[in-house]
Amino acid sequence: FEFRPMHLPWDHSVIQVPEGGRVEDLIIPNAAFTSDVDPGPPVPAPTLAAASAACAGKGSCTTYDWDHAAEQTRLAAGPFDPGSIRHQGGHVVGVHAHALGKAPGFVAFNNHLLKCPVRAVREMPDVPSMTKAGEVCAKDPNCLAVSWSPEGARTMKLSAKLASIDSGNIPRIRQEAWMCYKQPQIEDFERQDGWVTLVRAEKVPP
């Protein structure tokens, strides 16, 4: 099992982590820690990359909550719990890849969604973790890949041809996954912060 960065020519998200940050961080926009999280004191971080670097520089840090307006971040340790984040404009939660868990037999692509034809996609609501999404896909021999979101800032809609992101036509659903029964191609990957796509290791496109 491995996390693998993907460099696509059309990757242009305004909140990508540039040099100095960890490219494997899962970036969840418009999200912040809930009161259940007990982070340390705020750390100066004028950019998202600085917040990522601050977390990387503290060995126990696995998750950070970056406040854009205040130019500071809070750092937290321990495994990532999707229930520990809430919607909050102006904030971004970053999650270190290792805190997301493991999915044996898969390669993970953070901040990417796999577009899949309607006839070859299956929705799985209420999937609590990336690991669980991988387990469900692994049990289905026809499932070649699965895209998982840990938070409700993403809304999904099936268009005539693709399962794709839509900005607000469907009620928000927490922790959902979409299994794909089609061989993934490189052009099927779309940059979408807040999503993890798992592809069976032997099905990763060249």
Side-chain angles (χ1 to χ4, degrees):
F1 173 70
E2 65 173 310
F3 282 88
R4 187 178 300 177
M6 177 171 288
H7 304 288
L8 300 177
W10 52 87
D11 275 2
H12 52 77
S13 170
V14 295
I15 58 170
Q16 286 186 70
V17 179
E19 280 187 50
R22 294 186 304 224
V23 297
E24 74 272 20
D25 290 353
L26 178 66
I27 302 302
I28 308 173
N30 297 314
F33 290 155
T34 66
S35 58
D36 295 332
V37 179
D38 185 22
V43 175
T47 65
L48 180 60
S52 176
C55 186
K58 185 176 181 180
S60 61
C61 178
T62 57
T63 315
Y64 51 93
D65 174 355
W66 179 57
D67 185 335
H68 176 267
E71 296 189 349
Q72 63 186 23
T73 189
R74 296 185 298 162
L75 311 177
F80 172 59
D81 175 11
S84 68
I85 59 173
R86 59 183 172 84
H87 295 289
Q88 178 67 54
H91 283 244
V92 175
V93 168
V95 185
H96 186 32
H98 295 160
L100 290 169
K102 294 184 178 181
F106 290 86
V107 174
F109 298 93
N110 278 348
N111 305 306
H112 281 84
L113 175 71
L114 185 66
K115 297 181 292 183
C116 194
V118 170
R119 64 182 181 278
V121 71
R122 174 188 168 198
E123 178 186 3
M124 298 188 301
D126 303 319
V127 179
S129 68
M130 182 196 75
T131 297
K132 183 62 176 179
E135 290 175 352
V136 174
C137 183
K139 291 178 180 178
D140 185 340
N142 295 314
C143 178
L144 304 183
V146 59
S147 292
W148 175 75
S149 171
E151 49 86 39
R154 294 287 171 264
T155 58
M156 298 291 294
K157 165 172 111 168
L158 290 179
S159 67
K161 295 183 179 179
L162 298 173
S164 60
I165 292 294
D166 184 71
S167 60
N169 293 334
I170 300 271
R172 293 178 175 182
I173 304 172
R174 293 188 68 85
Q175 304 158 25
E176 68 178 348
W178 294 73
M179 293 199 301
C180 186
Y181 297 91
K182 170 185 172 291
Q183 167 63 48
Q185 303 297 325
I186 192 69
E187 60 269 21
D188 296 332
F189 286 87
E190 178 178 303
R191 172 77 192 203
Q192 292 293 346
D193 296 307
W195 285 86
V196 181
T197 289
L198 301 173
V199 181
R200 289 185 185 266
E202 69 276 13
K203 297 298 182 180
V204 174

